PDB file of all heavy atoms in Angstrom:
ATOM      1  N   PHE A1190      39.855-125.682 -70.191  1.00 55.00           N
ATOM      2  CA  PHE A1190      39.052-126.028 -69.123  1.00 55.00           C
ATOM      3  C   PHE A1190      38.440-127.403 -69.210  1.00 55.00           C
ATOM      4  O   PHE A1190      38.396-128.152 -68.224  1.00 55.00           O
ATOM      5  CB  PHE A1190      37.877-125.063 -69.011  1.00 55.00           C
ATOM      6  CG  PHE A1190      38.256-123.675 -68.483  1.00 55.00           C
ATOM      7  CD1 PHE A1190      38.024-122.562 -69.259  1.00 55.00           C
ATOM      8  CD2 PHE A1190      38.891-123.517 -67.225  1.00 55.00           C
ATOM      9  CE1 PHE A1190      38.382-121.302 -68.814  1.00 55.00           C
ATOM     10  CE2 PHE A1190      39.258-122.298 -66.823  1.00 55.00           C
ATOM     11  CZ  PHE A1190      39.000-121.172 -67.537  1.00 55.00           C
ATOM     12  N   LEU A1191      38.070-127.834 -70.405  1.00 58.00           N
ATOM     13  CA  LEU A1191      37.496-129.131 -70.566  1.00 58.00           C
ATOM     14  C   LEU A1191      38.520-130.175 -70.370  1.00 58.00           C
ATOM     15  O   LEU A1191      38.234-131.283 -69.890  1.00 58.00           O
ATOM     16  CB  LEU A1191      36.831-129.269 -72.011  1.00 58.00           C
ATOM     17  CG  LEU A1191      35.571-128.516 -72.209  1.00 58.00           C
ATOM     18  CD1 LEU A1191      35.205-128.527 -73.653  1.00 58.00           C
ATOM     19  CD2 LEU A1191      34.457-129.090 -71.404  1.00 58.00           C
ATOM     20  N   PHE A1192      39.771-129.894 -70.800  1.00 55.00           N
ATOM     21  CA  PHE A1192      40.852-130.913 -70.524  1.00 55.00           C
ATOM     22  C   PHE A1192      41.112-131.061 -69.032  1.00 55.00           C
ATOM     23  O   PHE A1192      41.476-132.138 -68.560  1.00 55.00           O
ATOM     24  CB  PHE A1192      42.072-130.490 -71.330  1.00 55.00           C
ATOM     25  CG  PHE A1192      43.172-131.511 -71.168  1.00 55.00           C
ATOM     26  CD1 PHE A1192      43.065-132.730 -71.927  1.00 55.00           C
ATOM     27  CD2 PHE A1192      44.257-131.269 -70.417  1.00 55.00           C
ATOM     28  CE1 PHE A1192      44.059-133.642 -71.833  1.00 55.00           C
ATOM     29  CE2 PHE A1192      45.326-132.263 -70.369  1.00 55.00           C
ATOM     30  CZ  PHE A1192      45.195-133.490 -71.053  1.00 55.00           C
ATOM     31  N   LEU A1193      41.041-129.954 -68.294  1.00 56.00           N
ATOM     32  CA  LEU A1193      41.366-130.041 -66.882  1.00 56.00           C
ATOM     33  C   LEU A1193      40.274-130.585 -66.001  1.00 56.00           C
ATOM     34  O   LEU A1193      40.530-131.170 -64.955  1.00 56.00           O
ATOM     35  CB  LEU A1193      41.673-128.594 -66.368  1.00 56.00           C
ATOM     36  CG  LEU A1193      42.972-127.925 -66.838  1.00 56.00           C
ATOM     37  CD1 LEU A1193      43.076-126.533 -66.317  1.00 56.00           C
ATOM     38  CD2 LEU A1193      44.145-128.774 -66.452  1.00 56.00           C
ATOM     39  N   LEU A1194      39.016-130.520 -66.401  1.00 58.00           N
ATOM     40  CA  LEU A1194      37.918-131.085 -65.657  1.00 58.00           C
ATOM     41  C   LEU A1194      38.035-132.612 -65.313  1.00 58.00           C
ATOM     42  O   LEU A1194      37.887-132.955 -64.227  1.00 58.00           O
ATOM     43  CB  LEU A1194      36.477-130.768 -66.332  1.00 58.00           C
ATOM     44  CG  LEU A1194      36.012-129.387 -66.096  1.00 58.00           C
ATOM     45  CD1 LEU A1194      34.790-129.168 -66.972  1.00 58.00           C
ATOM     46  CD2 LEU A1194      35.715-129.137 -64.689  1.00 58.00           C
ATOM     47  N   PRO A1195      38.451-133.476 -66.312  1.00 58.00           N
ATOM     48  CA  PRO A1195      38.652-134.869 -65.891  1.00 58.00           C
ATOM     49  C   PRO A1195      39.691-135.064 -64.828  1.00 58.00           C
ATOM     50  O   PRO A1195      39.659-136.001 -63.986  1.00 58.00           O
ATOM     51  CB  PRO A1195      39.056-135.533 -67.275  1.00 58.00           C
ATOM     52  CG  PRO A1195      38.499-134.699 -68.340  1.00 58.00           C
ATOM     53  CD  PRO A1195      38.598-133.318 -67.787  1.00 58.00           C
ATOM     54  N   VAL A1196      40.759-134.132 -64.855  1.00 58.00           N
ATOM     55  CA  VAL A1196      41.823-134.270 -63.887  1.00 58.00           C
ATOM     56  C   VAL A1196      41.178-134.092 -62.437  1.00 58.00           C
ATOM     57  O   VAL A1196      41.454-134.762 -61.495  1.00 58.00           O
ATOM     58  CB  VAL A1196      42.906-133.234 -64.156  1.00 58.00           C
ATOM     59  CG1 VAL A1196      43.972-133.288 -62.987  1.00 58.00           C
ATOM     60  CG2 VAL A1196      43.606-133.681 -65.415  1.00 58.00           C
ATOM     61  N   PHE A1197      40.289-133.030 -62.340  1.00 58.00           N
ATOM     62  CA  PHE A1197      39.663-132.738 -61.090  1.00 58.00           C
ATOM     63  C   PHE A1197      38.687-133.960 -60.757  1.00 58.00           C
ATOM     64  O   PHE A1197      38.564-134.331 -59.500  1.00 58.00           O
ATOM     65  CB  PHE A1197      38.807-131.494 -61.146  1.00 58.00           C
ATOM     66  CG  PHE A1197      39.697-130.227 -61.244  1.00 58.00           C
ATOM     67  CD1 PHE A1197      39.555-129.413 -62.318  1.00 58.00           C
ATOM     68  CD2 PHE A1197      40.617-130.030 -60.298  1.00 58.00           C
ATOM     69  CE1 PHE A1197      40.303-128.276 -62.432  1.00 58.00           C
ATOM     70  CE2 PHE A1197      41.391-128.895 -60.367  1.00 58.00           C
ATOM     71  CZ  PHE A1197      41.278-127.995 -61.461  1.00 58.00           C
ATOM     72  N   PHE A1198      38.070-134.589 -61.674  1.00 58.00           N
ATOM     73  CA  PHE A1198      37.234-135.668 -61.343  1.00 58.00           C
ATOM     74  C   PHE A1198      38.055-136.809 -60.845  1.00 58.00           C
ATOM     75  O   PHE A1198      37.608-137.609 -59.912  1.00 58.00           O
ATOM     76  CB  PHE A1198      36.320-136.177 -62.589  1.00 58.00           C
ATOM     77  CG  PHE A1198      35.486-134.989 -63.124  1.00 58.00           C
ATOM     78  CD1 PHE A1198      35.485-134.702 -64.454  1.00 58.00           C
ATOM     79  CD2 PHE A1198      34.785-134.150 -62.206  1.00 58.00           C
ATOM     80  CE1 PHE A1198      34.762-133.675 -64.901  1.00 58.00           C
ATOM     81  CE2 PHE A1198      34.098-133.072 -62.743  1.00 58.00           C
ATOM     82  CZ  PHE A1198      34.093-132.891 -64.124  1.00 58.00           C
ATOM     83  N   PHE A1199      39.191-137.051 -61.477  1.00 58.00           N
ATOM     84  CA  PHE A1199      40.126-138.117 -60.995  1.00 58.00           C
ATOM     85  C   PHE A1199      40.536-137.853 -59.567  1.00 58.00           C
ATOM     86  O   PHE A1199      40.445-138.714 -58.737  1.00 58.00           O
ATOM     87  CB  PHE A1199      41.263-138.286 -61.848  1.00 58.00           C
ATOM     88  CG  PHE A1199      42.304-139.218 -61.279  1.00 58.00           C
ATOM     89  CD1 PHE A1199      42.060-140.550 -61.220  1.00 58.00           C
ATOM     90  CD2 PHE A1199      43.500-138.738 -60.794  1.00 58.00           C
ATOM     91  CE1 PHE A1199      43.003-141.418 -60.677  1.00 58.00           C
ATOM     92  CE2 PHE A1199      44.411-139.542 -60.280  1.00 58.00           C
ATOM     93  CZ  PHE A1199      44.192-140.945 -60.202  1.00 58.00           C
ATOM     94  N   GLN A1200      40.855-136.574 -59.253  1.00 63.00           N
ATOM     95  CA  GLN A1200      41.233-136.250 -57.953  1.00 63.00           C
ATOM     96  C   GLN A1200      40.068-136.478 -56.957  1.00 63.00           C
ATOM     97  O   GLN A1200      40.294-136.859 -55.813  1.00 63.00           O
ATOM     98  CB  GLN A1200      41.730-134.778 -57.816  1.00 63.00           C
ATOM     99  CG  GLN A1200      43.079-134.525 -58.531  1.00 63.00           C
ATOM    100  CD  GLN A1200      43.481-133.075 -58.526  1.00 63.00           C
ATOM    101  OE1 GLN A1200      42.580-132.182 -58.366  1.00 63.00           O
ATOM    102  NE2 GLN A1200      44.693-132.834 -58.816  1.00 63.00           N
ATOM    103  N   MET A1201      38.921-136.112 -57.421  1.00 62.00           N
ATOM    104  CA  MET A1201      37.708-136.268 -56.594  1.00 62.00           C
ATOM    105  C   MET A1201      37.475-137.710 -56.281  1.00 62.00           C
ATOM    106  O   MET A1201      37.223-138.144 -55.052  1.00 62.00           O
ATOM    107  CB  MET A1201      36.488-135.619 -57.171  1.00 62.00           C
ATOM    108  CG  MET A1201      35.390-135.510 -56.229  1.00 62.00           C
ATOM    109  SD  MET A1201      34.190-134.330 -56.799  1.00 62.00           S
ATOM    110  CE  MET A1201      34.952-132.776 -56.472  1.00 62.00           C
ATOM    111  N   THR A1202      37.566-138.613 -57.184  1.00 60.00           N
ATOM    112  CA  THR A1202      37.342-140.041 -57.013  1.00 60.00           C
ATOM    113  C   THR A1202      38.463-140.589 -56.230  1.00 60.00           C
ATOM    114  O   THR A1202      38.263-141.537 -55.369  1.00 60.00           O
ATOM    115  CB  THR A1202      37.170-140.869 -58.281  1.00 60.00           C
ATOM    116  OG1 THR A1202      38.322-140.643 -59.177  1.00 60.00           O
ATOM    117  CG2 THR A1202      35.925-140.407 -59.027  1.00 60.00           C
ATOM    118  N   LYS A1203      39.662-140.092 -56.387  1.00 60.00           N
ATOM    119  CA  LYS A1203      40.879-140.563 -55.538  1.00 60.00           C
ATOM    120  C   LYS A1203      40.622-140.191 -54.107  1.00 60.00           C
ATOM    121  O   LYS A1203      41.092-140.870 -53.250  1.00 60.00           O
ATOM    122  CB  LYS A1203      42.123-139.931 -56.142  1.00 60.00           C
ATOM    123  CG  LYS A1203      43.387-140.549 -55.562  1.00 60.00           C
ATOM    124  CD  LYS A1203      44.606-140.061 -56.289  1.00 60.00           C
ATOM    125  CE  LYS A1203      44.900-138.683 -55.741  1.00 60.00           C
ATOM    126  NZ  LYS A1203      46.176-138.081 -56.113  1.00 60.00           N
ATOM    127  N   SER A1204      39.985-139.006 -53.887  1.00 63.00           N
ATOM    128  CA  SER A1204      39.771-138.470 -52.527  1.00 63.00           C
ATOM    129  C   SER A1204      38.719-139.249 -51.809  1.00 63.00           C
ATOM    130  O   SER A1204      38.348-138.862 -50.659  1.00 63.00           O
ATOM    131  CB  SER A1204      39.484-137.052 -52.607  1.00 63.00           C
ATOM    132  OG  SER A1204      40.528-136.260 -53.054  1.00 63.00           O
ATOM    133  N   VAL A1205      38.162-140.315 -52.392  1.00 64.00           N
ATOM    134  CA  VAL A1205      37.114-141.108 -51.685  1.00 64.00           C
ATOM    135  C   VAL A1205      37.813-141.666 -50.403  1.00 64.00           C
ATOM    136  O   VAL A1205      37.087-141.759 -49.443  1.00 64.00           O
ATOM    137  CB  VAL A1205      36.597-142.233 -52.636  1.00 64.00           C
ATOM    138  CG1 VAL A1205      35.927-143.356 -51.825  1.00 64.00           C
ATOM    139  CG2 VAL A1205      35.703-141.719 -53.706  1.00 64.00           C
ATOM    140  N   THR A1206      39.077-141.913 -50.427  1.00 68.00           N
ATOM    141  CA  THR A1206      39.715-142.338 -49.226  1.00 68.00           C
ATOM    142  C   THR A1206      40.107-141.233 -48.289  1.00 68.00           C
ATOM    143  O   THR A1206      40.422-141.497 -47.121  1.00 68.00           O
ATOM    144  CB  THR A1206      40.975-143.197 -49.658  1.00 68.00           C
ATOM    145  OG1 THR A1206      41.803-142.341 -50.392  1.00 68.00           O
ATOM    146  CG2 THR A1206      40.658-144.468 -50.382  1.00 68.00           C
ATOM    147  N   ASN A1207      40.099-140.049 -48.740  1.00 73.00           N
ATOM    148  CA  ASN A1207      40.310-138.853 -47.904  1.00 73.00           C
ATOM    149  C   ASN A1207      39.240-137.869 -48.110  1.00 73.00           C
ATOM    150  O   ASN A1207      39.459-136.768 -48.813  1.00 73.00           O
ATOM    151  CB  ASN A1207      41.647-138.210 -48.254  1.00 73.00           C
ATOM    152  CG  ASN A1207      42.752-139.097 -48.006  1.00 73.00           C
ATOM    153  OD1 ASN A1207      42.773-139.899 -46.989  1.00 73.00           O
ATOM    154  ND2 ASN A1207      43.832-139.157 -48.861  1.00 73.00           N
ATOM    155  N   PRO A1208      38.063-138.059 -47.567  1.00 75.00           N
ATOM    156  CA  PRO A1208      36.828-137.126 -47.862  1.00 75.00           C
ATOM    157  C   PRO A1208      37.120-135.664 -47.475  1.00 75.00           C
ATOM    158  O   PRO A1208      36.488-134.815 -47.983  1.00 75.00           O
ATOM    159  CB  PRO A1208      35.769-137.792 -47.016  1.00 75.00           C
ATOM    160  CG  PRO A1208      36.131-139.277 -46.826  1.00 75.00           C
ATOM    161  CD  PRO A1208      37.623-139.203 -46.809  1.00 75.00           C
ATOM    162  N   GLU A1209      38.067-135.410 -46.597  1.00 79.00           N
ATOM    163  CA  GLU A1209      38.273-134.079 -46.145  1.00 79.00           C
ATOM    164  C   GLU A1209      38.814-133.203 -47.310  1.00 79.00           C
ATOM    165  O   GLU A1209      38.734-131.968 -47.282  1.00 79.00           O
ATOM    166  CB  GLU A1209      39.211-133.990 -44.994  1.00 79.00           C
ATOM    167  CG  GLU A1209      40.643-134.501 -45.130  1.00 79.00           C
ATOM    168  CD  GLU A1209      40.778-136.058 -44.969  1.00 79.00           C
ATOM    169  OE1 GLU A1209      39.815-136.742 -44.634  1.00 79.00           O
ATOM    170  OE2 GLU A1209      41.867-136.562 -45.238  1.00 79.00           O
ATOM    171  N   GLU A1210      39.400-133.894 -48.289  1.00 78.00           N
ATOM    172  CA  GLU A1210      39.870-133.103 -49.497  1.00 78.00           C
ATOM    173  C   GLU A1210      38.805-132.743 -50.465  1.00 78.00           C
ATOM    174  O   GLU A1210      38.971-131.899 -51.311  1.00 78.00           O
ATOM    175  CB  GLU A1210      40.905-133.998 -50.213  1.00 78.00           C
ATOM    176  CG  GLU A1210      42.198-134.258 -49.427  1.00 78.00           C
ATOM    177  CD  GLU A1210      43.117-135.181 -50.193  1.00 78.00           C
ATOM    178  OE1 GLU A1210      42.975-135.364 -51.358  1.00 78.00           O
ATOM    179  OE2 GLU A1210      44.103-135.624 -49.495  1.00 78.00           O
ATOM    180  N   LEU A1211      37.635-133.321 -50.378  1.00 77.00           N
ATOM    181  CA  LEU A1211      36.560-133.088 -51.331  1.00 77.00           C
ATOM    182  C   LEU A1211      36.042-131.693 -51.362  1.00 77.00           C
ATOM    183  O   LEU A1211      35.679-131.200 -52.431  1.00 77.00           O
ATOM    184  CB  LEU A1211      35.427-134.080 -51.015  1.00 77.00           C
ATOM    185  CG  LEU A1211      35.736-135.575 -51.318  1.00 77.00           C
ATOM    186  CD1 LEU A1211      34.596-136.490 -50.805  1.00 77.00           C
ATOM    187  CD2 LEU A1211      35.974-135.773 -52.806  1.00 77.00           C
ATOM    188  N   GLY A1212      35.959-130.986 -50.266  1.00 81.00           N
ATOM    189  CA  GLY A1212      35.378-129.711 -50.190  1.00 81.00           C
ATOM    190  C   GLY A1212      36.240-128.684 -51.165  1.00 81.00           C
ATOM    191  O   GLY A1212      35.624-127.930 -51.929  1.00 81.00           O
ATOM    192  N   GLY A1213      37.517-128.772 -50.957  1.00 81.00           N
ATOM    193  CA  GLY A1213      38.376-127.914 -51.804  1.00 81.00           C
ATOM    194  C   GLY A1213      38.329-128.215 -53.241  1.00 81.00           C
ATOM    195  O   GLY A1213      38.314-127.349 -54.156  1.00 81.00           O
ATOM    196  N   LEU A1214      38.278-129.576 -53.621  1.00 78.00           N
ATOM    197  CA  LEU A1214      38.118-129.966 -54.905  1.00 78.00           C
ATOM    198  C   LEU A1214      36.830-129.562 -55.578  1.00 78.00           C
ATOM    199  O   LEU A1214      36.762-129.085 -56.708  1.00 78.00           O
ATOM    200  CB  LEU A1214      38.228-131.437 -55.113  1.00 78.00           C
ATOM    201  CG  LEU A1214      39.693-131.980 -54.802  1.00 78.00           C
ATOM    202  CD1 LEU A1214      39.682-133.557 -54.688  1.00 78.00           C
ATOM    203  CD2 LEU A1214      40.686-131.576 -55.868  1.00 78.00           C
ATOM    204  N   ALA A1215      35.688-129.689 -54.831  1.00 80.00           N
ATOM    205  CA  ALA A1215      34.429-129.304 -55.328  1.00 80.00           C
ATOM    206  C   ALA A1215      34.392-127.754 -55.551  1.00 80.00           C
ATOM    207  O   ALA A1215      33.833-127.351 -56.590  1.00 80.00           O
ATOM    208  CB  ALA A1215      33.311-129.705 -54.290  1.00 80.00           C
ATOM    209  N   SER A1216      34.992-127.022 -54.697  1.00 83.00           N
ATOM    210  CA  SER A1216      35.051-125.548 -54.893  1.00 83.00           C
ATOM    211  C   SER A1216      35.853-125.185 -56.101  1.00 83.00           C
ATOM    212  O   SER A1216      35.408-124.314 -56.941  1.00 83.00           O
ATOM    213  CB  SER A1216      35.615-124.917 -53.616  1.00 83.00           C
ATOM    214  OG  SER A1216      35.800-123.507 -53.864  1.00 83.00           O
ATOM    215  N   GLN A1217      36.978-125.802 -56.251  1.00 80.00           N
ATOM    216  CA  GLN A1217      37.756-125.532 -57.518  1.00 80.00           C
ATOM    217  C   GLN A1217      37.005-125.919 -58.744  1.00 80.00           C
ATOM    218  O   GLN A1217      37.088-125.178 -59.670  1.00 80.00           O
ATOM    219  CB  GLN A1217      39.068-126.278 -57.380  1.00 80.00           C
ATOM    220  CG  GLN A1217      40.108-126.031 -58.445  1.00 80.00           C
ATOM    221  CD  GLN A1217      41.380-126.692 -58.174  1.00 80.00           C
ATOM    222  OE1 GLN A1217      41.544-127.478 -57.350  1.00 80.00           O
ATOM    223  NE2 GLN A1217      42.371-126.380 -59.050  1.00 80.00           N
ATOM    224  N   MET A1218      36.392-127.120 -58.764  1.00 80.00           N
ATOM    225  CA  MET A1218      35.629-127.530 -59.904  1.00 80.00           C
ATOM    226  C   MET A1218      34.443-126.566 -60.253  1.00 80.00           C
ATOM    227  O   MET A1218      34.290-126.266 -61.409  1.00 80.00           O
ATOM    228  CB  MET A1218      35.090-128.994 -59.690  1.00 80.00           C
ATOM    229  CG  MET A1218      34.359-129.445 -60.911  1.00 80.00           C
ATOM    230  SD  MET A1218      33.586-131.094 -60.643  1.00 80.00           S
ATOM    231  CE  MET A1218      32.363-130.643 -59.394  1.00 80.00           C
ATOM    232  N   THR A1219      33.815-126.087 -59.172  1.00 83.00           N
ATOM    233  CA  THR A1219      32.700-125.115 -59.344  1.00 83.00           C
ATOM    234  C   THR A1219      33.228-123.833 -60.024  1.00 83.00           C
ATOM    235  O   THR A1219      32.546-123.330 -60.993  1.00 83.00           O
ATOM    236  CB  THR A1219      32.057-124.891 -58.012  1.00 83.00           C
ATOM    237  OG1 THR A1219      31.582-126.050 -57.430  1.00 83.00           O
ATOM    238  CG2 THR A1219      30.862-123.911 -58.170  1.00 83.00           C
ATOM    239  N   ASN A1220      34.302-123.317 -59.542  1.00 83.00           N
ATOM    240  CA  ASN A1220      34.911-122.172 -60.151  1.00 83.00           C
ATOM    241  C   ASN A1220      35.238-122.358 -61.642  1.00 83.00           C
ATOM    242  O   ASN A1220      35.097-121.525 -62.471  1.00 83.00           O
ATOM    243  CB  ASN A1220      36.089-121.609 -59.429  1.00 83.00           C
ATOM    244  CG  ASN A1220      35.728-121.054 -58.066  1.00 83.00           C
ATOM    245  OD1 ASN A1220      34.632-120.636 -57.816  1.00 83.00           O
ATOM    246  ND2 ASN A1220      36.719-121.124 -57.068  1.00 83.00           N
ATOM    247  N   ASP A1221      35.929-123.458 -61.879  1.00 81.00           N
ATOM    248  CA  ASP A1221      36.384-123.787 -63.217  1.00 81.00           C
ATOM    249  C   ASP A1221      35.069-124.016 -64.122  1.00 81.00           C
ATOM    250  O   ASP A1221      35.127-123.575 -65.316  1.00 81.00           O
ATOM    251  CB  ASP A1221      37.237-125.021 -63.208  1.00 81.00           C
ATOM    252  CG  ASP A1221      38.586-124.777 -62.666  1.00 81.00           C
ATOM    253  OD1 ASP A1221      39.000-123.645 -62.639  1.00 81.00           O
ATOM    254  OD2 ASP A1221      39.257-125.763 -62.298  1.00 81.00           O
ATOM    255  N   TYR A1222      34.111-124.636 -63.664  1.00 85.00           N
ATOM    256  CA  TYR A1222      32.898-124.743 -64.461  1.00 85.00           C
ATOM    257  C   TYR A1222      32.289-123.448 -64.755  1.00 85.00           C
ATOM    258  O   TYR A1222      31.808-123.157 -65.888  1.00 85.00           O
ATOM    259  CB  TYR A1222      31.851-125.648 -63.834  1.00 85.00           C
ATOM    260  CG  TYR A1222      30.582-125.732 -64.690  1.00 85.00           C
ATOM    261  CD1 TYR A1222      30.605-126.443 -65.812  1.00 85.00           C
ATOM    262  CD2 TYR A1222      29.506-124.896 -64.439  1.00 85.00           C
ATOM    263  CE1 TYR A1222      29.448-126.519 -66.665  1.00 85.00           C
ATOM    264  CE2 TYR A1222      28.365-124.891 -65.308  1.00 85.00           C
ATOM    265  CZ  TYR A1222      28.409-125.708 -66.403  1.00 85.00           C
ATOM    266  OH  TYR A1222      27.300-125.680 -67.237  1.00 85.00           O
ATOM    267  N   GLY A1223      32.330-122.511 -63.774  1.00 87.00           N
ATOM    268  CA  GLY A1223      31.856-121.128 -64.075  1.00 87.00           C
ATOM    269  C   GLY A1223      32.485-120.483 -65.259  1.00 87.00           C
ATOM    270  O   GLY A1223      31.877-119.857 -66.173  1.00 87.00           O
ATOM    271  N   HIS A1224      33.842-120.590 -65.243  1.00 84.00           N
ATOM    272  CA  HIS A1224      34.704-120.062 -66.389  1.00 84.00           C
ATOM    273  C   HIS A1224      34.254-120.802 -67.717  1.00 84.00           C
ATOM    274  O   HIS A1224      34.098-120.172 -68.765  1.00 84.00           O
ATOM    275  CB  HIS A1224      36.128-120.186 -66.124  1.00 84.00           C
ATOM    276  CG  HIS A1224      36.621-119.364 -64.916  1.00 84.00           C
ATOM    277  ND1 HIS A1224      36.562-117.990 -64.938  1.00 84.00           N
ATOM    278  CD2 HIS A1224      37.169-119.749 -63.803  1.00 84.00           C
ATOM    279  CE1 HIS A1224      37.042-117.515 -63.819  1.00 84.00           C
ATOM    280  NE2 HIS A1224      37.325-118.622 -63.078  1.00 84.00           N
ATOM    281  N   LEU A1225      34.118-122.121 -67.624  1.00 84.00           N
ATOM    282  CA  LEU A1225      33.753-122.884 -68.787  1.00 84.00           C
ATOM    283  C   LEU A1225      32.384-122.494 -69.338  1.00 84.00           C
ATOM    284  O   LEU A1225      32.180-122.297 -70.542  1.00 84.00           O
ATOM    285  CB  LEU A1225      33.763-124.359 -68.426  1.00 84.00           C
ATOM    286  CG  LEU A1225      33.199-125.308 -69.426  1.00 84.00           C
ATOM    287  CD1 LEU A1225      34.231-125.513 -70.624  1.00 84.00           C
ATOM    288  CD2 LEU A1225      32.798-126.642 -68.941  1.00 84.00           C
ATOM    289  N   ALA A1226      31.459-122.254 -68.433  1.00 87.00           N
ATOM    290  CA  ALA A1226      30.096-121.854 -68.842  1.00 87.00           C
ATOM    291  C   ALA A1226      30.140-120.511 -69.607  1.00 87.00           C
ATOM    292  O   ALA A1226      29.411-120.340 -70.615  1.00 87.00           O
ATOM    293  CB  ALA A1226      29.089-121.773 -67.665  1.00 87.00           C
ATOM    294  N   LEU A1227      30.893-119.572 -69.148  1.00 86.00           N
ATOM    295  CA  LEU A1227      31.041-118.247 -69.813  1.00 86.00           C
ATOM    296  C   LEU A1227      31.667-118.422 -71.209  1.00 86.00           C
ATOM    297  O   LEU A1227      31.177-117.872 -72.271  1.00 86.00           O
ATOM    298  CB  LEU A1227      31.913-117.317 -69.018  1.00 86.00           C
ATOM    299  CG  LEU A1227      31.263-116.716 -67.705  1.00 86.00           C
ATOM    300  CD1 LEU A1227      32.222-115.932 -66.956  1.00 86.00           C
ATOM    301  CD2 LEU A1227      30.034-115.937 -68.053  1.00 86.00           C
TER     302      LEU A1227
END
């Protein structure tokens, strides 16, 4: 999970040019963080 989180952050910063993609990325990151927290 920790290795995958930077990939999502890269996708999120890359999506600065396509903000409509941010909602899905944020949702995916939130779910992954929930697993990471457990």
Side-chain angles (χ1 to χ4, degrees):
F1190 286 121
L1191 288 171
F1192 184 72
L1193 291 176
L1194 280 172
V1196 174
F1197 292 121
F1198 303 134
F1199 171 70
Q1200 289 175 341
M1201 194 163 281
T1202 56
K1203 191 175 81 170
S1204 294
V1205 164
T1206 56
N1207 296 322
E1209 63 276 357
E1210 296 177 12
L1211 290 172
L1214 290 171
S1216 177
Q1217 185 176 6
M1218 184 185 64
T1219 302
N1220 289 334
D1221 289 341
Y1222 177 78
H1224 295 296
L1225 171 76
L1227 289 173

